[in-house]
Structures are given as C-alpha cells and as structure tokens.
Amino acid sequence: MAVKPSPKKTPMRELEIEERIKSFSEVALGYTEDEALVEAMRCLQCPSKPCVKGCPVGIDIPGFISKIKEKKFDEAAKILKKYNNLPAICGRVCPQENQCEAFCTVGKIPGSEPVAIGRLERFVADWEAENLVLTQESGPKKGKKVAVIGSGPAGLTAAADLAKLGYDVIVFETLHKPGGVLVYGIPEFRLPKVIVEREVKYVESLSVKILLNTPVGKSVTVEEILKEFDAVFIGVGAGTPKFLNISGTNLNGVYSANEFLTRINLMKAYLFPEYDTPVRKGQNVIVVGGGNVALDAARSALRLGAKQVTVVYRRTEQEMPARREEYIHAVEEGIKFRWLTQPLRYIGDEKGNLVGVECISMELGEPDESGRRRPIPIEDSRFVIEADMVIEAIGTEANRFLLSEFKDLKLNKYGYIVVDEETCATSLRKVFAGGDIVTGAATVIEAMGAGKRAAYWIDKFLQKEYDPW
Amino acid sequence: MLNQIVKKSKLAPGVYEFYVENPIIAAKAQPGQFVVVIPSEKGERVPLTIADAFDGNIRMVVKVVGKSTADLALKREGETLYGVVGPLGKPSEIKYYGNVLLVGGGVGIAAILPIAKALKALGNKVYAVLGGRSKDQVILKDELEQYVDEILVTTDDGSFGIKGVVTDGMDLILRKQRIDIAWAIGPTIMMKFCSLKAREYGLKIVVSLNPIMVDGTGMCGACRVTINGQIKFACVDGPEFDGTQVDWDELLKRLQQYQEQEKLAFEKFKQKVGDLSWL
Ligand SMILES: Cc1cc2nc3c(=O)[nH]c(=O)nc-3n(C[C@H](O)[C@H](O)[C@H](O)COP(=O)(O)OP(=O)(O)OC[C@H]3O[C@@H](n4cnc5c(N)ncnc54)[C@H](O)[C@@H]3O)c2cc1C
Ligand SMILES: Cc1cc2nc3c(=O)[nH]c(=O)nc-3n(C[C@H](O)[C@H](O)[C@H](O)COP(=O)(O)OP(=O)(O)OC[C@H]3O[C@@H](n4cnc5c(N)ncnc54)[C@H](O)[C@@H]3O)c2cc1C
Ligand code: SF4
Ligand code: SF4
Ligand code: FES
Ligand SMILES: [Mg+2]
C-alpha cells in the first residue's frame, strides 16, 4: 500500500442532517476497518511520543496505532485497556483537539491535521466490543475493601483499577443507572447509552459491585463507610446546577440544563409516553451558555421538534468553550447563535408560562482573570426575544448532598474537595477524591485520570507505602 | 426480597397503603423524609413520604392522581418495585415544644403520622386537625389517636366531624388553646391557607412541600421553590419549610407544568389497562 498519506484526517461518516434532527441516533458513525488503516498510516510512530503527554491517562498512542497498522486489533485493544478502562467513551467525547491531538507531530506540519487519535481509539474499542471478550485477570485478592462513592467516570475508573489490583470494591450510586454524567448528561446522539452500559459491564466483570439507588450520607452513612472500608474514594461530580437568578427563573418553561438533559437521557423523556417522564417540547427555545452542555441542550431541544433554537452567549464565537466539532454539528443542524447577548429577565403570562426573554447586548472589554475579554453590557440595547422555553447551561457547582454529611472534610472556597494533586488524598485519613468534585466541571478523561491516580495511591496506602496523614 | 411489596391495602377510594421491604432505608428513615419510587423500568421517579418504618419495611400511602400512582396502585403483594431510593430530604425537627398542632389533609394525614408519633414520644401535647372531602377520605384516624391528645375532623360535605375545611378546625383549637408550633401537610392549596391562618395567630408553621421532582438529590433543580425571596431546592433544603415564607402561587403554577402530557399518559394507560374508577 504505497498511497501517500493525506494531510487531512480521514473523514468520519456521519448521519445525514435530515435524519439527525428527527432522532436521537448517534451522529458520528465511526471508521470502517479500511478507513482506520488509512488513518493509522498517517502516524509517524515518533520515538519521543509527544502525543502521550497530552493524554491525561498516558495511553501508549503510537503503540496501539502500530497494532492497527498490523491489523492486530485485539492487541491494540489490549494496549488501550491497559491505560483506559472506558476507551469507547473517550474516543467519542474526549476534547482530543486540546489533548493528545494538540501534541501530535503530524499536526505541527503546516497545512496538516493531526492523526485522528480519538477516532482510532473509538474504532478499536468498538471492534473489540463486537469481536472479543477481553478477560482481564485480577491480581491475587488482597483481602481489603474499598468504597467508591459515585459511578461517574472517576468512580468507575478508580473501581476498575482497584479491582485489578485485587481489592474488593463496592461502588455506591444514588441514581438507578451507573455512569454519572455519561448517562444523565451527555445525549444519546453523541454517546449512545448502550456503549456506557457495555463499559460498565466490563468494570463489573472485574468483580466490582455496583449498588444503585444508594445515596451515601442517607441510606448509608459516612460513619458506616469509614468504619467498614479500608479506604474510600469520593467521585460524586459537580452536580448542582447554577442559575442566572434573574427575575422569572421559576416560570414554567425555564430549565437548568441538568434537568432538561436528565429528563431526556436518564429518564428517556424523548420516548414519552412509552416512558413515563414528560419534558416540555418548546417551539422557540433559547439556550443560555457557550459550552458543550449548552450545545447538547440546544441539539436535544431541536430533536424534540422545536421550530427555532437559539443559543445566546455573552461572548463571541472565538471565546466559546464548546468543542469545535460539536459547534459545527449544531450549525449544520440549524441552531442559531446570538453572540454578545445576555438575558436580563424572563417574561411570563398569567399562568406562569414563559413567553419571552429580555436580553441586553454586550461588548468585549479588557481581558478578565480567565484571560478572555470581559463582556460588558451596552446601555440602551435591551430587546425581547419570544420564547416558550429557556435552558440555562451556565455551569454547575459542588453538590452538597454528600459533602454536608462529610464533616471535617477540607473544602476550598468554592466548596470543592481539597486534595493532594498527585495522590488525590483528602484531609481525612484513608479518604481520597477525584473528578469534578475536586476540579469543578471538567472532562471525562480528566475525571478518569484522577480515578486512576487515586487507585494507584490507594494501593500504596493500603500496602503501607504511603501515608500523608 | 429488596423492594418487594409485602403488604398492600386500600384505605379509601383511590388511596392505598404499601409496606415495602427495604431494611437499609427502614433503618435510617426519620419523620419528614421521603423516598423516590420508580414503579417499573420505564417509570418516573415518584417522590412519596415515608409514613412509617419498622422491621425492615417502609410504609407509604399513595393517592391515585395519574399514570404513575395508578401503576403503583395496581401492583400486587409479592411484586417488586423497580427502584426505591432514600431516605431523602431533611428530617423534621423533632424536640420538646410544648403544645403542637398537626394539620393533615387527604394523604397528608399519612405524612403527619410519624411526626405525631415522634413528638408524642418527647412529651409534647399533640393536637390534630384531620381533613378530607368526605368521611372515607379521613384516613388513619384510629391509629393517630394513639399519639394525639385531641383530634378534630373536618369534611367538606359534613359527612364526618365538622362541616368545613381544616382552617376552620385550626380556628377552633387556636381560639381556646395556646399552641407553640404547627405542622400542616396536605394539598398545596390547603397548606397555603393553613399558613395564612397561622400568620393571623402569629403561629410558627412548618409545611412539607411537594413540587415536581426528578432525581431528589439536588442535581436537577426541578423542585425549586421560592422561600423568603430565595430559590431553594425542596429535595435537599426541604421538603419542610416555614409556611409563612413560601411563594405559594408560584408553587401552584409550577405543579401544573406537565398537565397536558400527564393527561395524555393517563388516558393511554387507561386504554391499556381498562377502566380504573374502581381503584
Ligand atoms: C451535558 C454535558 C456534556 C458534557 N460533555 C463532555 C464532553 O463532550 N467531553 C468531556 O470530556 N466531558 C464532557 N462533560 C463533562 C464530564 O461529563 C464530567 O467532567 C465528568 O462526567 C465528571 O466525572 P465524575 O466522575 O467526576 O462525576 P459525574 O459524572 O458527575 O458522576 C458522579 C456520580 O456520583 C453520583 N453521586 C453523587 N452524590 C452521591 C452520593 N452521595 N452517593 C452516591 N452517589 C452519588 C451521581 O449520581 C453521579 O452518578 C460534559 C458534561 C455535561 C453535563
Ligand atoms: C416530597 C414529596 C412527598 C410526596 N409524598 C406523597 C405521598 O406520601 N403520597 C402521595 O400520594 N403523593 C405524594 N407526593 C406527590 C406524588 O409524588 C405525586 O402525586 C405523583 O408523583 C404523581 O404522579 P402521577 O404520574 O400519578 O401523576 P401525574 O398525572 O403525572 O401528575 C399529577 C400531579 O402530581 C404532581 N406531580 C407529577 N409528577 C410529579 C413528580 N415527579 N414529583 C412530584 N409531584 C409530581 C403534579 O402536580 C401533577 O399535576 C409527594 C410529593 C413530594 C414532592
Ligand atoms: S483518552 Fe482522550 S486524550 Fe487520551 S488518547 Fe484517547 S482521546 Fe486522546
Ligand atoms: S505524535 Fe502523532 S504521529 Fe507521532 S506517534 Fe503520536 S500520533 Fe503518531
Ligand atoms: S429533584 Fe432534582 S434537585 Fe430536587
Ligand atoms: Mg406522572
């Protein structure tokens, strides 16, 4: 095969736009074997492996790609699983362009795009799911018990790694399905729930026990956990939605992104009335925010049948934190964007239903502490947009649900848990923490990275090789 | 077996009592707390007050108002619920107050039962007003009598006790008796008027709010209510609040949010299972 590698990534097939906006089916369809081979050929197998630096869990990227080149997909899968317990998920939702791919040598060549590492990872993980059952041997049993609180990516990763090391692991999850944001937040069209289920099954196959419907701090107390387990990992996520707190916030039709997405993803409200949980089907929908969550909400509202979905963001396209790929998808699907716009108040009718949003135009001033130019309201620029539904996607904060029961745990001024960055150790003996409840809302792979580090150091602690207390 | 219905009985037309096996929740449940029940795999998350808990079972009293509650009411002894989560919410503040007045309306009577029991055990003198549309809706009166020193009953149609509403009963007691604190639990509109009544007398009143919920753990904000001008999440900050500080009209409107869909779901369900007026 002496075909000259293309400077561009091998494109991934996608569902037709008309199909997409009518259903919640996955948009990106993945590589075929041939496409994966073509893409793998673009990798130069750099001896210094710069890409690996960009991966929070340090996957041997040239290693697994070289196995793809050799068509040894099973061996590629083994390499992935050594570093990443949930590759089918990361291959889909990692912001690769800021992580592994940002460091890729090929991407540094002028006019050239980096190797599509995430897409190749997804290809291998999906191939594995269809073609083989990986039996991962656990180490000899160590006879010690570890509690993991929360079954998001941080908790699942910590649990899997600890089980592989021979610990008895119980994961406590308050919802009726495991996965955290992967099941309640990220929509089906970006991350099909069967994939989350598959990855959770893998974790369970390592003899991890997941107790659903079990809110720690309520049905199991913190004291009981501390007494019964030799070590504890907290991965409860950021959880609680913030609101703009402007007048009209409690009108009918005003949602937090968490509620809207939970109704749709966890409760399957898009299949109402087959499923019992309802959700509003807005005709004119406004989404407030500029991140992935805002785009997920906007694209979900469109799929529920909205006539018009408009994202209002107080900065501009350049500052918006959402992944470029998803922004392009949103634009293709017909989502409108109103930059430099901030809601001031929600307007309701006498029945308490939302009918409009009063907004103000903004301009960008000097950079703020985030380094982005600060939006400033322009006087006399108020206007009203007609809307029967608003979804606020302006971020989350620390969920006090567990922390209020966890006395003496040291928190920072934002309410997140203070840990040793390397080891994930908290201020309390034998308690470790990681993921969004430490960093604030971040990414799946960073949460997994924390889970991995915590598992490593929990093992050291239980082997009496590490004790910061 | 976990979440199995070990006992079910009909307390009144459309009102059913369940004992469900769940030793973990039963061991932790305190007065004022609730569970979220998911009746079946495709079901909603339905919040229900824990009316009692002992011997590894929790007791709930459910009034049929739509699809999910009807689905529950049709379940039989021996069947298992898909999921039960709890105990959620802050417990009632139980201590010695002196004279306490408990007002219960409809299924709200089941919710005041554990509170009455706990208050009585601490030596409070407990008065109660129980209200219902007619005689058969005044549930659990005999059981409450064990913990209540004086009970007044009101019915809309006068078929039992005083003809009138619970606030009439409150008047009768408050006029003759000094009361240190009151609880009112029942339909939202009832709790609103009980709170107005309490304000007339300068009486502190606790209400248990029942906004629409999803997760019940502070993660979604569906259950937000306005208390003294501030947004609170009823599932974690409540469900009990000072009744005089609640924005009742907002809550009443928020409860109507899904009326159209709820009607549709209930109609479809009835087409499938047949007439349910016998429930
Ligand atoms: C809509 C949306 C889209 C996103 N898109 C992306 C994306 O494209 N790419 C990306 O990398 N990241 C994305 N993120 C961010 C990413 O999902 C999170 O950073 C990640 O899930 C955090 O993982 P975690 O394990 O820390 O917590 P979570 O995923 O939040 O999981 C925490 C779990 O703990 C449970 N829990 C909480 N309290 C208790 C308790 N007391 N007892 C038992 N269980 C408890 C919760 O129910 C939950 O299941 C997105 C987030 C959202 C909301
Ligand atoms: C903390 C709390 C404790 C409760 N305790 C009891 C109890 O002990 N016994 C009892 O019979 N009922 C109780 N309820 C009310 C009960 O949850 C609702 O009646 C039930 O969810 C209605 O479901 P449905 O599908 O049958 O009715 P639907 O037709 O869906 O709704 C009928 C009405 O019930 C309300 N409702 C609907 N969905 C929800 C929801 N997810 N959460 C809350 N309210 C909703 C709405 O006002 C709606 O108009 C409680 C509610 C809360 C929040
Ligand atoms: S896990 Fe994420 S960062 Fe790491 S290689 Fe895969 S896509 Fe890149
Ligand atoms: S930097 Fe890019 S080209 Fe080099 S090994 Fe990594 S993926 Fe391959
Ligand atoms: S029900 Fe979701 S926050 Fe209260
Ligand atoms: Mg319902």
Side-chain angles (χ1 to χ4, degrees), chain B residues 34 44-49 61-63 65-69 107 209-213 255 262:
Chain B
F34 65 95
E44 289 183 280
R45 296 174 64 95
V46 182
L48 296 170
T49 307
V61 177
V62 183
K63 183 178 167 67
V65 295
K67 154 86 204 264
S68 300
T69 45
V107 277
L209 300 185
N210 53 359
I212 295 175
M213 294 187 173
L255 282 167
E262 286 160 359

Side-chain angles (χ1 to χ4, degrees), chain B residues 40-243:
Chain B
S40 33
E41 201 189 335
K42 295 180 177 178
E44 289 183 280
R45 296 174 64 95
V46 182
L48 296 170
T49 307
I50 305 169
D52 206 347
F54 57 88
D55 293 346
N57 297 325
I58 53 171
R59 178 188 189 187
M60 294 166 286
V61 177
V62 183
K63 183 178 167 67
V64 176
V65 295
K67 154 86 204 264
S68 300
T69 45
D71 199 12
L72 272 172
L74 289 173
K75 297 235 183 263
R76 274 172 282 202
E77 282 178 10
E79 281 189 77
T80 302
L81 302 175
Y82 179 73
V84 184
V85 195
L88 299 169
K90 289 189 179 151
S92 312
E93 204 178 322
I94 302 293
K95 60 178 189 191
Y96 178 76
Y97 293 97
N99 296 335
V100 185
L101 171 61
L102 304 180
V103 185
V107 277
I109 298 174
I112 64 167
L113 180 68
I115 299 173
K117 205 167 166 179
L119 286 170
K120 188 69 203 163
L122 290 185
N124 289 286
K125 183 144 197 225
V126 183
Y127 296 79
V129 177
L130 310 183
R133 239 175 298 126
S134 56
K135 181 172 183 190
D136 53 13
Q137 296 289 331
V138 182
I139 54 172
L140 305 173
K141 176 169 175 281
D142 297 345
E143 200 174 336
L144 265 161
E145 264 164 1
Q146 301 170 51
Y147 315 109
V148 177
D149 298 274
E150 197 180 323
I151 293 193
L152 265 184
V153 173
T154 66
T155 48
D156 296 359
D157 61 3
S159 54
F160 188 24
I162 303 155
K163 182 170 175 4
V165 288
V166 287
T167 43
D168 300 331
M170 283 176 79
D171 265 327
L172 286 177
I173 289 179
L174 289 168
R175 258 185 239 135
K176 62 164 199 189
Q177 185 60 56
R178 185 185 57 81
I179 294 290
D180 298 293
I181 187 168
W183 264 261
I185 308 181
T188 304
I189 192 76
M190 178 204 100
M191 294 192 283
K192 173 184 170 175
F193 283 106
C194 291
S195 300
L196 292 174
K197 182 59 73 188
R199 176 173 279 164
E200 271 175 40
Y201 287 90
L203 171 67
K204 184 170 160 52
I205 186 162
V206 180
V207 294
S208 180
L209 300 185
N210 53 359
I212 295 175
M213 294 187 173
V214 185
D215 62 308
T217 68
M219 183 271 276
C220 75
C223 63
R224 59 194 192 274
V225 288
T226 301
I227 307 294
N228 201 13
Q230 287 202 324
I231 293 181
K232 298 278 176 197
F233 291 2
C235 67
V236 286
D237 301 323
E240 292 190 352
F241 293 100
D242 176 342

